[in-house]
Every structure is written in structure tokens, then in C-alpha cells.
Amino acid sequence: MPLDPVAYQPYADPDDFIREVTDLIWVDRSISYIRENYEPDSIVHGAYGTSTTRDEVIEGSLMRISATPDRVGQAEDVIWEARGDDAFLSSHLVLSSDLHSGDHSRTIANCLYRRGRMVEEWVVRDSLAGALRRREDLDELARAQAFRGYTGSWTEPAPADPIARGDSGPRPDDHRSEVETVIDMIQTVWNDRDLQKVEKFFLRDLVLQTVGDRLVIRPEGYRRALLRFLESFPAGQFEIRDIQTNYDVRYAGLRVAVTWKFVGDYIGVPNYGPLTGRPIDLLGISQFTFHNGALVKEVRLWDDIALRAQIAGMRGDEPVGFSNIY
């Protein structure tokens, strides 16, 4: 079923809609446009928890813009997919750069728009990249934030069949073979820990772009990056919460976006400070690119500073600042 233009008017298509609206708010600083763009009860699942009102989005956006006045962003990818005939789910990869220093970082915002209005969003930022460049104390940064926790759909069981329906609702059965490849990879490599099978799913010359602005190449690099994360949560599992696909030659062809949740007890290597023995609840998003039927690239983001804040809260460390979910 074709997507009704009411889903993205007055723009040409959902790609144009997402790029132009984001520029209007974040580059042109038209923060007030959020009132036209978001429903009053819009839901945002961010690194520090869930917000449930448009006013929280406005407040958080203003604080982030005022704290980083020299940063501008632009789209690296927009993976959008219809949700019925009047809605779409987009996965917007944004590259932000400081106009003076040239420092950069990435954000992925997955947005559910219905009839041109935002109803629910899932957003992750690579906050670690800038912190590492500035040589900041990561634990001190984490203690300056408060993890508020999640509500709503994020606390419900994972979708039983994410190919048919994700947290954003029923999805079209597009590019099933590639979607099944991604799901099989996540289960086999990420969850079952059969790291030898990386070569089954990825081309030899693979690229992984991940938190801390790290660029990883080749299957062995991919394995080591995954082990580095899992070693702190050795029994943890990844849940697939949503999927969308899109084919566009402007963005290297076929891409698959996956919103995932990682849940695991912090009982392994203490990379995030003293162990707690308690489970973390991590929001992450990956964007996969295919070439000739195989995976060739992944962009995998989560907010590592927010993860530290979540763990610090479990230890009883008192936050000293404001938690900006958006």
C-alpha cells in the first residue's frame, strides 16, 4: 500500500521531511517548531529514561542546544519505512561537528510520525566520543546525571516476531531475506556468542562504527569490539525491539535499522566501576548496510555515559545534575 502524502507533507517524502525538520529545529534553532511537530503526549525513550510530554522535549532540546552552540549536524543516513498508510518510522543517523574544533560525534534518532506529527521516539547519542577527546573523567560525568528509568513500551516484553511487528507497530514485509540475515546474526553472534560465525554474515572488508567514535575493521576487529562490551555483562542478551528497511542509492543501497535492548547483570569485568550484580537496561540502535547480499557495514550506538550513570545509581551514587532525556 503506498504511503499517503499526509504522512510527510509539506515535504517531498519522509527522507526530505526528517532532514528538513531536524535542520529547522537543531540548526536554525526554531525550538518553538517542536510544538507543531510533536504531539502533546509524545513519548521519547532516551539514554536516561522515558519522557512523556512535549514540554520535556522542548526543555531538553533548549538545554542541549544552549550547551553546544557551535555544533551543527547533518544526515548521514535516513532509513525510513511505512507504518500503515499514514505513518512512517525513520532511523536518522546524524553526524554533528563543532564549527571551531572540528570534534564530531554521531546520534541515531528513530522517530515514529503519524500524519506528520511525532508520536514516539527512540534516541541514542555517542556521548563518549567528545568526553574522550576532552580527556574528561567519565565517572564524574556520569555522576552529574540522573538515570530516571523507562516506562511504557520499553518495559514491555520484546515483540515475539519483530519481522511482523515491532514496538512501533505492524511493519511491511519488505526485504525479508536481509532482515532474516540480520536477526540470525544477532542471535548467532551477539546472543549465542558464536563469534566464529562473523564471516558467515559479513564480508571480509567489514566496517563497524561504534561508540567513542571508534572505527573497527575486519571480522577479528568486530569480534574484539563485541567481546569488549560483553565482558562486563557476560550473561547479557540483546532483544530486537524494532526493524525498518530502506533501499536508496544515495545511502549505498539497502540498509536495515534495528532498535535493540541489552539486559545483563553487571558481574563481569569492572569496566564501569565497582560491580553491582544487578541488571542494566540499555537502549541501542544499529544500522546495517548490505552489499551483494552480505553485511558490509554496521553503525552501532548507545550512550556509554548514560550507562555509567545507570550503574552509578545502582550503587547509590547521588546524581548532582539534571538528566536531559532528549
Side-chain angles (χ1 to χ4, degrees):
M1 180 181 296
L3 189 60
D4 191 318
V6 72
Y8 50 81
Q9 287 176 341
Y11 300 100
D13 56 28
D15 181 287
D16 190 38
F17 181 105
I18 289 295
R19 290 189 292 113
E20 293 302 321
V21 166
T22 302
D23 255 32
L24 183 61
I25 296 170
W26 291 92
V27 178
D28 299 336
R29 313 305 199 200
S30 183
I31 301 173
S32 65
Y33 185 69
I34 293 172
R35 295 198 178 278
E36 297 179 45
N37 190 239
Y38 282 66
E39 292 289 0
D41 56 352
S42 54
I43 298 168
V44 177
H45 307 284
Y48 293 93
T50 301
S51 70
T52 56
T53 70
R54 183 173 57 196
D55 287 343
E56 290 177 273
V57 176
I58 293 171
E59 293 164 8
S61 300
L62 184 147
M63 291 185 67
R64 186 170 293 278
I65 288 171
S66 66
T68 56
D70 297 323
R71 294 189 76 82
V72 295
Q74 65 182 31
E76 281 194 281
D77 205 337
V78 179
I79 304 173
W80 70 268
E81 187 177 78
R83 290 294 182 266
D85 62 358
D86 66 349
F88 66 88
L89 177 67
S90 64
S91 185
H92 185 193
L93 174 62
V94 180
L95 176 62
S96 298
S97 180
D98 188 287
L99 293 172
H100 295 302
S101 70
D103 284 352
H104 62 274
S105 63
R106 287 173 171 83
T107 296
I108 301 179
N110 284 11
C111 302
L112 177 62
Y113 274 93
R114 190 168 303 282
R115 303 182 72 82
R117 302 272 286 184
M118 174 81 79
V119 294
E120 193 161 5
E121 180 176 8
W122 300 258
V123 60
V124 290
R125 288 183 173 82
D126 182 12
S127 61
L128 182 62
L132 292 175
R133 290 193 191 96
R134 296 186 294 269
R135 300 182 183 276
E136 294 179 295
D137 184 310
L138 304 182
D139 291 325
E140 184 177 335
L141 282 177
R143 287 192 295 271
Q145 300 288 343
F147 180 73
R148 292 169 46 177
Y150 293 106
T151 60
S153 64
W154 198 250
T155 65
E156 297 171 1
D161 180 8
I163 294 179
R165 183 185 184 95
D167 283 350
S168 63
R171 62 173 300 273
D173 193 11
D174 293 340
H175 306 290
R176 174 175 277 267
S177 176
E178 288 82 3
V179 170
E180 288 176 342
T181 294
V182 170
I183 291 174
D184 191 12
M185 189 281 297
I186 290 174
Q187 184 57 45
T188 302
V189 178
W190 293 10
N191 284 333
D192 292 343
R193 321 296 202 234
D194 191 351
L195 276 64
Q196 181 190 23
K197 290 294 195 326
V198 172
E199 285 96 335
K200 174 184 175 183
F201 301 99
F202 284 88
L203 295 177
R204 181 197 65 188
D205 298 326
L206 71 87
V207 174
L208 169 67
Q209 177 79 53
T210 191
V211 296
D213 195 33
R214 292 177 59 214
L215 189 65
V216 175
I217 63 172
R218 298 279 183 135
E220 182 58 19
Y222 192 95
R223 284 188 279 264
R224 294 188 184 196
L226 183 61
L227 285 169
R228 174 65 177 171
F229 174 73
L230 289 174
E231 67 183 3
S232 295
F233 319 96
Q237 292 283 292
F238 294 86
E239 301 176 357
I240 296 175
R241 307 294 307 203
D242 227 325
I243 297 170
Q244 64 254 60
T245 67
N246 184 265
Y247 184 91
D248 193 323
V249 295
R250 293 175 296 176
Y251 301 116
L254 180 62
R255 294 97 62 234
V256 177
V258 176
T259 307
W260 48 263
K261 176 196 278 195
F262 180 81
V263 179
D265 292 344
Y266 183 41
I267 58 174
V269 178
N271 292 329
Y272 297 90
L275 300 174
T276 64
R278 298 177 61 186
I280 58 101
D281 188 349
L282 181 65
L283 164 62
I285 301 173
S286 289
Q287 292 187 348
F288 298 93
T289 302
F290 278 84
H291 179 68
N292 291 335
L295 291 164
V296 68
K297 180 182 179 182
E298 179 189 354
V299 179
R300 185 193 309 156
L301 296 187
W302 69 88
D303 192 318
D304 210 62
I305 303 301
L307 175 56
R308 289 176 183 273
Q310 186 178 155
I311 291 171
M314 293 175 184
R315 287 195 296 262
D317 299 351
E318 284 294 325
V320 296
F322 171 78
S323 61
N324 180 0
I325 287 176
Y326 198 90

